[in-house]
Amino acid sequence: RALCSLTKGQATLYQRTVKQLAEDLKEAEGIERKGLVLTYLMRLKQICNHPALWTGSGSFESKDSGKFRRLNELCQEIASRGEKVLIFSQFREMCGPLADFLEDDERFGRAGLVLHGGTAVTRRQRLVEQFQSDAGPPFFVISLKAGGTGLNLTAAAHVIHFDRWWNPAVEDQATDRAFRIGQKNNVLVHKFVCTGTIEERIDRVITEKRELAGEILGTSGGAEKLLTAM
C-alpha cells in the first residue's frame, strides 16, 4: 500500500465537495439519496487522483496531485533499476495524462504504451508484444476494465493501482496480468491510497472484509451498491 497525502488544493476541493454532499442529502430521499451518494463518491475519488479529473480543466500539473508526487518518486526508482511497470486506473481519462507524465526525462525519458476501452481490439496483441520485448517501452498505462483479462504482461516487475476499485476481485484480475505463466520477475504491487479520504475508508473495508467481498461483492454492481449504502 502506497499512502499519499492530498495537496492543499486537493484538500480544499475535497472538503468543499463533502460539505456540498451534506447539503444535498438534506433534500434527498430513498433511491435518489443512494444515487447522490454514489455520484459524490466517484467525484471524491476523482479529486484524490487529480483535481483536473473532476474539474475537466485538462491541466494535469503534477504539483497539484499528491498521487503524482508519489508516482514520481516510485517510478524514478523503477527507472533507475531498468525495470518495467504496469499502471492501472479505473478512469480512462487518466491514461493519457499518466503516460505524458511518465515519459518525461525525470521519470523514464521515453514513451510508453496506453490501453483503454477505446483501443481497437486488433491493436491489443501488438501492444502486448511491444511491452514484452526486452527493448520495448518501460511502462504500460491501462484502464482497469480494459486490462482485466486476456493480457499476458510478464515483462513487468511492478504493478501500480493508481486508484482503488470497489471490488478487490477486479483489481486482482488486473494484477494477474503480470502473474502469468512464464513470469520470472518478483512482482511488487503498489496500491495508491490518499490518507484521510474515502479511499482510505474503502481500502479498510475491503481489507477487513476481503473474503466477504469476494463472495458477496463479486456480482456485477454489488460492491458499488453495498458501499454506497454504507
Side-chain angles (χ1 to χ4, degrees), residues 4 48-49 65-71 162-163 192 194 199:
C4 311
C48 286
N49 275 8
S65 167
K67 285 190 179 182
F68 270 74
R69 292 177 179 177
R70 184 71 183 90
L71 185 65
F162 195 73
D163 39 65
F192 282 18
C194 284
E199 284 194 328

Side-chain angles (χ1 to χ4, degrees), residues 6-14 16-17 42-68 89 91-98 100 162-163:
L6 296 178
T7 64
K8 184 176 181 180
Q10 279 179 296
T12 299
L13 183 57
Y14 189 96
R16 188 188 311 150
T17 304
M42 192 64 68
R43 189 176 302 177
L44 293 171
K45 290 179 73 175
Q46 290 175 319
I47 294 170
C48 286
N49 275 8
H50 196 293
L53 185 60
W54 159 236
T55 65
S57 68
S59 180
F60 285 87
E61 295 286 340
S62 59
K63 63 180 178 60
D64 296 329
S65 167
K67 285 190 179 182
F68 270 74
S89 173
F91 299 102
R92 172 177 170 175
E93 297 83 2
M94 283 302 309
C95 292
L98 284 171
D100 291 342
F162 195 73
D163 39 65

Side-chain angles (χ1 to χ4, degrees), residues 23 29-31 33 45 68 76 92 108 110 115-116 119 134 143 149 159 170 174 186 191 207 209 224:
E23 288 298 315
E29 296 181 358
I31 190 67
R33 184 183 181 89
K45 290 179 73 175
F68 270 74
Q76 280 186 349
R92 172 177 170 175
F108 290 100
R110 54 185 295 205
L115 171 67
H116 50 63
T119 305
D134 289 342
S143 66
T149 57
V159 174
V170 176
N186 291 320
K191 298 181 179 182
T207 300
K209 306 295 184 182
E224 295 179 27

Side-chain angles (χ1 to χ4, degrees), residues 10 44 46 48 51-53 83 87 125 141 151-152 155 223:
Q10 279 179 296
L44 293 171
Q46 290 175 319
C48 286
L53 185 60
E83 296 173 336
I87 302 98
Q125 188 55 40
V141 183
L151 301 176
N152 189 342

